[in-house]
Amino acid sequence: MSAAAPGHPEDDQGDKGDKGGVRTALAGLTTRGRSFLAAGVAAAICAYVLGQSDLLRVGLLLSVLPLVCATVLYRTRYRVAGSRRLSPARVPAASEARVHLRMDNVSRLPTGLLMLQDRVPYVLGPRPRFVLDRVEAGGRREVSYRVRSDLRGRYPLGPLQLRLTDPFGMCELTRSFSTYDTLTVIPRVDALPPARLTGEAKGYGDGRQRSLALAGEDDVIPRGYRYGDDLRRVHWRSTARYGELMVRREEQPQRARCTVLLDTRGIAYLGAGPDSAFEWAVSGAASVLVHMLERGFSVRLLTDTGNSVPGEGAEGFAGASQGSADAAGLMMDTLAVIDYSDGTDISRAYDVLRGGGEGMLMAFFGDLDEEQAAVAAKMRQRSGGAVAFVLDSETWVREPNDVPGPEDPGEESLRMLREAGWTAVRVPRGAAMSDLWRQADRERSGLGALSGGEGRS
C-alpha cells in the first residue's frame, strides 16, 4: 500500500488582489445564489418604479444575502489536511482496489459543510463525491471508494478537491490539494500447476543447480586456508604440493535461469481490447514470470526490441541479491504499461539470447512468417530448454461461424519450431493458460522420453 503525503488545499485560480478575490467569490455563486441576487435586483427596480419602500427592503435583503455569504465563505480559511491510501497500490486487471481518503481539521475552529471530490480517470469508474457535515476542531473523517479497470496501465488519482459551501447554499468554492497517487493495474496472473519445465537443473530440486568446484580427486581447485575453515575440508595432496595449508572450495549454489520472451510487434497481432491476442500474451508472460520466480528461478523479461528487465545483476537476471517480490514487482510494472513496438522482426531479441548463458526460455510469439520462424528456431540453440506459445491472431478476430482458409501459415511456424527442438504450443482463442501449461508439460515430457530424458528435472 502507498500513502500520499498530507497536503493543504490551495485555490485553483489563486488570489490576485481584491478584484480577483471578488471575481472568485462571485463566480462561486450557486444557482440559488444567482436566483436570489436576480430576484433582489428585480425587486429593487420595481420598488423604485412603483415607489414601494417595503418592496425595496425585500429587494435589498434578497440581493445582499448571497453577496454576504460569498464574502464570508471566501474569507473563511479552514486549515485541513488530506491524505490518500491505496489498498493495494498494484492490482490485477478486472480486480478492485479501495481508495481511502482522510481529512484532518488542524485548525481550532470547526468546519462547515464540506464536499469532498477525488479526480479519477474515466476507465476507473465515476468520480467519487462525499459530503462531510461538520468536522470538529482537531477531528478527522475517513471515507473510501472502490476503483476497477479491465485495462492494464498506470492511472493517476487526484488531486483531491474540497468544495466549501455556506449554510444557505448560496455559494460554493473549490480548493484543491497538490498531491496525487498512482494506481498500477497489472496483467491478470493465472496460477499455473507444477510442471517439469525446468531445463537442465537435474537432481537438485526445482529451479536450482550447483556449480561444483570439486569434480574429483584429479580435478581439484583448492584455495588457501582461512581462519575458521573446517579442517575436514583440508586437501592434503595440494597442501603437500604448495607447501601451505589448502582447502577444497565449497559447492556454489546457483539459481537456474529463465528468460521470458514477449513478442510485442504490432504487425504480429490483430484486434484490440482486454480479450485480444496481445493482451492474452501479456497476461501469459506475467503468469509464467510469477510462477518461475516462486520456484526459485532467476528470471528476466525480454522483448523483441532487445530490452531486458530487470536489467541488473548477472546478465540482466533478477539475481539472488534482489528479492523475488521486488523483481516480480518491477517486471509487473513493466508489463502494466507495455505496448506494441514498431519493430518488424525479432532479431534483436536473438542477439541478446545469443550472448547469454544457457537457461530455460519461455516465449510468447504472435504471427510468425517463415523468416521470423527461422530466427526463433535458432534461439533454441542457446537455451537449456525452450517452450513457445504461438498465437495465431487471425483466429482471435475470426467470428465463430467463419470458415478458416485452406492454408494455415501458423502450422508451418509450429513445424519449424518443433524441428529445432522447441516445445511449441498453439494458443487458440480464449484458451486458459493453465491448460496450455499442462499441454506443454506433456509434450515436453514426450520429447524428453524420445531423447533419453533431455531437459527433464
Side-chain angles (χ1 to χ4, degrees):
M1 295 183 289
S2 65
H8 295 276
E10 301 174 353
D11 290 341
D12 286 341
Q13 299 177 353
D15 297 341
K16 300 179 180 179
D18 294 337
K19 293 183 179 179
V22 172
R23 286 196 298 266
T24 302
L26 294 178
L29 288 176
T30 62
T31 302
R32 180 184 298 177
R34 296 176 187 273
S35 300
F36 267 67
L37 183 61
V41 172
I45 294 176
C46 292
Y48 176 77
V49 173
L50 300 176
Q52 297 291 330
S53 58
D54 293 337
L55 184 59
L56 179 61
R57 296 188 186 95
V58 173
L60 292 177
L61 175 63
L62 294 177
S63 301
V64 170
L65 181 59
L67 297 179
V68 171
C69 291
T71 302
V72 172
L73 185 63
Y74 180 76
R75 294 297 180 183
T76 300
R77 287 293 182 265
Y78 294 132
R79 295 183 59 198
V80 294
S83 62
R84 183 189 298 103
R85 179 171 55 89
L86 307 182
S87 177
R90 186 187 291 117
V91 61
S95 298
E96 290 185 346
R98 184 167 289 275
V99 183
H100 301 269
L101 303 178
R102 173 176 164 178
M103 298 297 300
D104 293 274
N105 183 11
V106 297
S107 64
R108 297 181 179 179
L109 298 175
T111 68
L113 184 66
L114 302 179
M115 288 183 290
L116 201 61
Q117 177 177 276
D118 206 7
R119 291 182 180 179
V120 300
Y122 71 95
V123 296
L124 297 182
R127 182 171 294 184
R129 294 179 175 89
F130 305 93
V131 177
L132 305 180
D133 293 334
R134 181 179 180 273
V135 183
E136 64 278 4
R140 70 178 61 168
R141 295 291 185 273
E142 294 185 4
V143 293
S144 64
Y145 63 93
R146 294 177 296 179
V147 291
R148 180 182 183 274
S149 174
D150 293 330
L151 301 175
R152 55 186 176 81
R154 293 173 62 87
Y155 301 102
L157 300 179
L160 193 64
Q161 291 182 333
L162 196 63
R163 288 188 178 183
L164 310 177
T165 183
D166 64 279
F168 300 101
M170 298 289 180
C171 184
E172 287 183 359
L173 292 182
T174 301
R175 306 183 188 277
S176 297
F177 291 84
S178 58
T179 57
Y180 67 93
D181 279 303
T182 300
L183 176 68
T184 303
V185 180
I186 62 176
R188 291 189 296 268
V189 176
D190 297 329
L192 301 182
R196 300 176 66 83
L197 299 173
T198 54
E200 70 280 11
K202 301 178 181 179
Y204 295 102
D206 291 339
R208 295 201 176 271
Q209 59 185 1
R210 293 181 180 270
S211 175
L212 297 180
L214 176 60
E217 285 295 317
D218 297 329
D219 186 18
V220 177
I221 307 178
R223 63 170 175 81
Y225 176 82
R226 298 171 185 170
Y227 178 78
D229 285 338
D230 191 348
L231 293 178
R232 290 175 295 182
R233 291 175 41 232
V234 173
H235 191 260
W236 298 108
R237 183 178 299 179
S238 298
T239 299
R241 179 184 302 174
Y242 294 103
E244 60 176 319
L245 203 59
M246 307 293 290
V247 297
R248 297 183 178 92
R249 292 185 179 179
E250 295 178 343
E251 291 182 338
Q252 302 296 325
Q254 285 185 335
R255 303 182 72 185
R257 295 177 175 179
C258 177
T259 299
V260 179
L261 172 61
L262 177 61
D263 183 6
T264 63
R265 296 172 298 138
I267 62 174
Y269 299 93
L270 298 177
D275 297 328
S276 63
F278 180 70
E279 292 300 324
W280 191 99
V282 174
S283 178
S287 301
V288 172
L289 284 170
V290 173
H291 179 77
M292 302 306 280
L293 280 171
E294 290 176 348
R295 300 189 65 183
F297 278 72
S298 291
V299 181
R300 67 175 173 180
L301 172 65
L302 179 65
T303 65
D304 58 288
T305 61
N307 295 328
S308 178
V309 180
E312 300 177 357
E315 301 179 6
F317 289 84
S321 60
Q322 186 178 17
S324 296
D326 295 336
L330 180 59
M331 289 183 281
M332 285 298 172
D333 289 344
T334 302
L335 290 176
V337 297
I338 201 168
D339 203 353
Y340 296 111
S341 68
D342 298 330
T344 58
D345 56 58
I346 56 176
S347 58
R348 281 178 287 184
Y350 170 69
D351 294 338
V352 174
L353 294 172
R354 183 172 54 181
E358 293 186 354
M360 197 67 188
L361 176 60
M362 301 284 184
F364 291 83
F365 293 118
D367 294 333
L368 294 174
D369 55 24
E370 185 176 352
E371 180 180 357
Q372 299 309 311
V375 176
K378 292 189 294 184
M379 295 179 180
R380 174 66 179 87
Q381 301 172 1
R382 296 296 299 170
S383 63
V387 179
F389 299 93
V390 183
L391 292 87
D392 185 359
S393 61
E394 183 178 352
T395 63
W396 285 71
V397 297
R398 182 189 304 157
E399 295 297 331
N401 297 330
D402 293 347
V403 179
E407 296 183 0
D408 190 354
E411 288 296 333
E412 180 64 20
S413 301
L414 291 173
R415 183 189 62 81
M416 295 178 63
L417 293 177
R418 288 165 180 165
E419 289 180 352
W422 283 83
T423 301
V425 178
R426 167 170 257 181
V427 181
R429 180 177 181 177
M433 183 62 202
S434 56
D435 296 336
L436 297 178
W437 187 255
R438 293 189 184 94
Q439 179 182 345
D441 183 31
R442 291 193 299 266
E443 294 187 8
R444 182 169 171 79
S445 299
L447 290 176
L450 293 176
S451 59
E454 179 183 0
R456 298 285 299 275
S457 64

